Each structure stands twice: as C-alpha cells, then as structure tokens.
Amino acid sequence: MTRPPVRIIPGFRSPLFVKEKADISSYIDPLREGKFISSIGFDIDGLGAVITTGIKGYRPIPFNAYIIEASIIADQSGSIVVDIWSDSYANYPPTNADSITGATPPTLSAAIKNTDTALVDWTRKIPKGKCLGYNVDSASTVKWVSVILKVFRD
C-alpha cells in the first residue's frame, strides 16, 4: 500500500496526509484557527442478524464540531439508511424532528461503503453539549455498520 506524501505545515501540531496539493486547501484556514480534525463514530450491530429499523442509540458530544464528511461502512454489501438526530442535553432524547441530515442521510445502496463530502442540506455545526441520536430508517442484508462523521473540532 502506498502512503500519500506527508506535508508539514509550519505552526501545525501534526502532519497532513494528502493525495494532491489541491486536497489541502479546504483544511488550511480551520487548522490555522486552532481546530483539529477528529471523528465521531457510532456502530450498529445486528448481533448476527440483519439490522432492524428504529433508534439504535445516542452519543453526547463534549466539544464543538463542524462536520466535513460522513462515511458509512458495513460487514457486507447491502443497503441501509441511517438518520442522525441532534438536540440539547436538556431536550434529550433527540427525535426525528431534530434530523441534521436533510434529504441525504448516510446511505448504502447495494454497497459495502460510502462517503459523502457534499453533505447537501445537512446541519453541519454541532455545538458542545449536544446529543446525537442514530436511527435506522431502512436496512437489508447488512448485519453491522459503522457511521463515521469526520469533523473539525476545537
């Protein structure tokens, strides 16, 4: 496996791995502002059976975050739609009315993985103290998935 080149940018605490020079442009300003690239992950396990629909759990977010990418990976090729809800700790638990994914939730359609960087209609900002809820809208074939939000955090 070939690793992408490492580019050290003065003033940053860690190197960035980029494929091309153009890949780095959207990361420079937030990193200069003291933000870090991090991820928020959530696993959904059908315990050997096909994943069922409905709420699968909640995750509190202890830092300010701005979503830059959403990925979903599965144990096998199949289909699933996972909606993500966000609400304050005071209003816990979040509900469908609190969806942050607009019309494009993390989705697999006869695939084993998918990444969305456009995030059309998403509410990308997650303030510290929010709680995310993960709801399976539909699923077939897959028995395990992981939903990963790549974020800038400060």
Side-chain angles (χ1 to χ4, degrees):
M1 183 168 108
T2 305
R3 249 181 113 156
V6 176
R7 301 226 168 104
I8 305 294
I9 301 168
F12 296 123
R13 298 180 187 132
S14 61
L16 287 175
F17 294 92
V18 295
K19 294 178 187 171
E20 298 174 15
K21 199 175 218 175
D23 289 351
I24 203 167
S25 61
S26 62
Y27 294 99
I28 295 296
D29 289 337
L31 291 172
R32 282 190 179 137
E33 294 169 5
K35 295 180 178 6
F36 296 93
I37 296 173
S38 188
S39 64
I40 300 168
F42 190 82
D43 294 335
I44 301 170
D45 192 341
L47 301 174
V50 173
I51 294 171
T52 58
T53 59
I55 192 70
K56 298 303 172 190
Y58 304 94
R59 169 141 307 155
I61 306 303
F63 50 82
N64 293 318
Y66 182 82
I67 304 168
I68 55 176
E69 181 179 285
S71 297
I72 185 167
I73 57 174
D75 64 320
Q76 60 188 310
S77 185
S79 300
I80 190 165
V81 177
V82 180
D83 197 5
I84 303 172
W85 306 337
S86 174
D87 210 338
S88 66
Y89 183 78
N91 290 332
Y92 177 86
T95 65
N96 191 46
D98 302 312
S99 177
I100 64 169
T101 63
T104 58
T107 301
L108 291 178
S109 182
I112 196 167
K113 64 185 181 339
N114 186 36
T115 297
D116 180 2
T117 56
L119 304 174
V120 176
D121 295 332
W122 278 55
T123 302
R124 293 182 177 214
K125 187 176 182 181
I126 304 172
K128 178 180 180 179
K130 289 284 189 167
C131 186
L132 298 183
Y134 295 81
N135 186 74
V136 175
D137 290 343
S138 63
S140 65
T141 311
V142 296
K143 298 177 181 179
W144 174 90
V145 298
S146 186
V147 178
I148 304 104
L149 303 177
K150 184 188 285 186
V151 300
F152 284 125
R153 79 180 258 190
D154 54 24

